[in-house]
Amino acid sequence: MSVPRPPADSLFDDPDPLPLAPADGTAARGRAARASADHPVQAAAVSDELRQLGRHLPAAVHLGTSSWSFAGWRGIVYGDSYGESQLSRQGLTAYAEHPVLRAVGLDRSFYQPLSEAEFARHAAQVPPHLRFVVKAPALITDAVKRAEGGLPASDNPSFLDAARATEQFVLPAVGGLRDRAGPLVFQFSPLPRALTQGSAAHALIERLGAFLAALPAQVGGITPVYAVELRNAELLTPRFLRMLRAVNARLCLGIHARMPPAARQSAALRAMDSTEEGQTWKLAGPLVVRWSLHSGFKYDEAKNRYAPFDRLIDADLPTRGTLAHLIHVAIKSSQPAYVIVNNKAEGSAPLSCIELARAVVG
């Protein structure tokens, strides 16, 4: 299946290696670049206030960013200027030293399935408390094969193929990450209208329920957390929520321009988890959130406005307040909370995580 290429700033694919012996007199520059790449990535200095914030943030609250490979985070996450390809390969250990960042998104798996060894290599770079929130491959979650530019080309025969999802995603992800595995997120790209209207939507929800029910309930003694993120608001219905509850999957709140605001999605989550009217709301499972994009912007617009992602530009206080409230509900429900933030949410994902932690602790 032809899948979308990673965004230009995802930097999950390593660039071509430097030539061993440049023929144009640039050997010195090549050696300097290699020496820089060999220098370990150092974490940024952390203030006493941030260390105190990390100590007061409950251990089950896992805040993190959707990637870690951004040179603009110098002084925020990283202690020096590093190339983005070096950060992609070596930055995780320094990232995990930050007292507030206890989760990280692994989106590379959306574009191409990863092996168990690749997942294990990521897990080996971080301490036991950090959790990876991993996206399922698009070859499972996209209903269509896509041509260059992302336009639909034909039906995707692997769409909602539970056997393939198990073999190429669930088993390698959980087997490689082990106890560092957070939620496994099935993010569905915008689906064709023919699948999301009327009786076709009902059939799709039933098919999705059968798909989720067929995934492994345990992998090597670990119980995976399966979460579903929509990009079609019309599917966020009581029927859809009942299906998720029936198969013990979680609704991943996708904060994105294509979906309703966080407060409206939190109401759907409450409807999904509530058992009796009037009772205090308690989550029936982990809180899973991906705060991807500031409302009103397209992806490229937000990227151009916010790069190099070193400061907050458009503070989204309503979303931040809703997420802080949901985290408190998770804490009171004795459930873990996983909130992954993108740079395109407010301008700088780690700074958004810090402000969200302050809202939770404060």
Side-chain angles (χ1 to χ4, degrees):
M1 173 187 176
S2 174
V3 299
R5 290 182 175 273
D9 58 348
S10 287
L11 295 164
F12 290 119
D13 294 323
D14 292 335
D16 293 334
L18 288 167
L20 293 178
D24 60 355
T26 60
R29 290 198 298 273
R31 285 193 298 271
R34 286 192 294 275
S36 175
D38 290 339
H39 184 67
V41 175
Q42 300 295 321
V46 176
S47 68
D48 290 340
E49 186 267 338
L50 279 183
R51 292 194 186 281
Q52 186 85 343
L53 180 63
R55 283 194 290 268
H56 283 87
L57 191 66
V61 177
H62 298 278
L63 308 180
T65 66
S66 59
S67 179
W68 62 90
S69 309
F70 296 96
W73 292 355
R74 178 185 181 185
I76 302 172
V77 177
Y78 304 115
D80 205 343
S81 294
Y82 301 100
E84 294 181 341
S85 62
Q86 183 185 4
L87 291 175
S88 177
R89 294 190 303 271
Q90 305 172 3
L92 260 179
T93 301
Y95 171 98
E97 291 185 30
H98 196 285
V100 171
L101 302 178
R102 300 177 186 164
V104 68
L106 191 51
D107 288 2
R108 179 185 173 193
S109 52
F110 179 76
Y111 304 101
Q112 181 176 335
L114 304 182
S115 68
E116 181 174 325
E118 289 175 293
F119 282 114
R121 189 161 56 248
H122 287 310
Q125 298 180 55
V126 301
H129 71 264
L130 189 132
R131 296 292 180 270
F132 290 87
V133 178
V134 193
K135 282 175 63 174
L139 63 86
I140 303 297
T141 60
D142 201 339
V144 298
K145 293 183 177 181
R146 297 189 183 271
E148 290 297 326
L151 295 176
S154 62
D155 291 340
N156 173 21
S158 296
F159 180 56
L160 295 180
D161 184 330
R164 191 166 187 181
T166 298
E167 178 184 354
Q168 299 191 13
F169 176 53
V170 178
L171 295 182
V174 180
L177 296 175
R178 300 297 298 164
D179 56 355
R180 292 165 178 79
L184 306 184
V185 178
F186 294 88
Q187 181 224 295
F188 289 87
S189 300
L191 298 168
R193 286 180 57 83
L195 293 177
T196 65
Q197 306 296 317
S199 60
H202 299 168
L204 175 64
I205 291 171
E206 289 183 8
R207 184 180 174 189
L208 177 56
F211 165 80
L212 292 167
L215 298 177
Q218 279 207 333
V219 178
I222 295 174
T223 302
V225 174
Y226 300 121
V228 176
E229 179 183 349
L230 296 175
R231 293 290 170 89
N232 290 83
E234 65 270 24
L235 289 176
L236 193 58
T237 62
R239 181 187 297 266
F240 174 79
L241 299 174
R242 288 195 299 270
M243 177 275 293
L244 290 181
R245 187 178 179 99
V247 298
N248 199 31
R250 300 302 295 161
L251 173 67
C252 174
L253 274 65
I255 314 303
H256 191 278
R258 295 188 63 94
M259 294 298 293
R264 287 181 57 193
Q265 292 191 59
S266 72
L269 184 62
R270 178 168 186 158
M272 172 181 158
D273 283 347
S274 297
T275 53
E276 295 183 24
E277 188 173 353
Q279 282 192 339
T280 300
W281 176 29
K282 288 191 175 182
L283 291 177
L287 173 67
V288 186
V289 180
R290 292 181 69 251
W291 187 5
S292 298
L293 186 64
H294 196 286
S295 62
F297 290 113
K298 295 181 179 179
Y299 180 90
D300 286 339
E301 292 174 338
K303 176 183 173 183
N304 293 335
R305 178 173 174 82
Y306 297 150
F309 315 121
D310 57 354
R311 58 196 176 100
L312 296 181
I313 295 177
D314 293 314
D316 186 349
L317 299 183
T319 295
R320 204 186 292 166
T322 297
L323 296 185
H325 169 69
L326 288 173
I327 291 170
H328 278 290
V329 173
I331 294 168
K332 292 177 181 178
S333 305
S334 299
Q335 294 288 350
Y338 303 92
V339 180
I340 296 297
V341 186
N342 194 291
N343 283 322
K344 288 79 178 174
E346 297 183 300
S348 177
L351 294 180
S352 292
C353 289
I354 291 170
E355 291 304 318
L356 183 55
R358 286 174 175 148
V360 171
V361 170

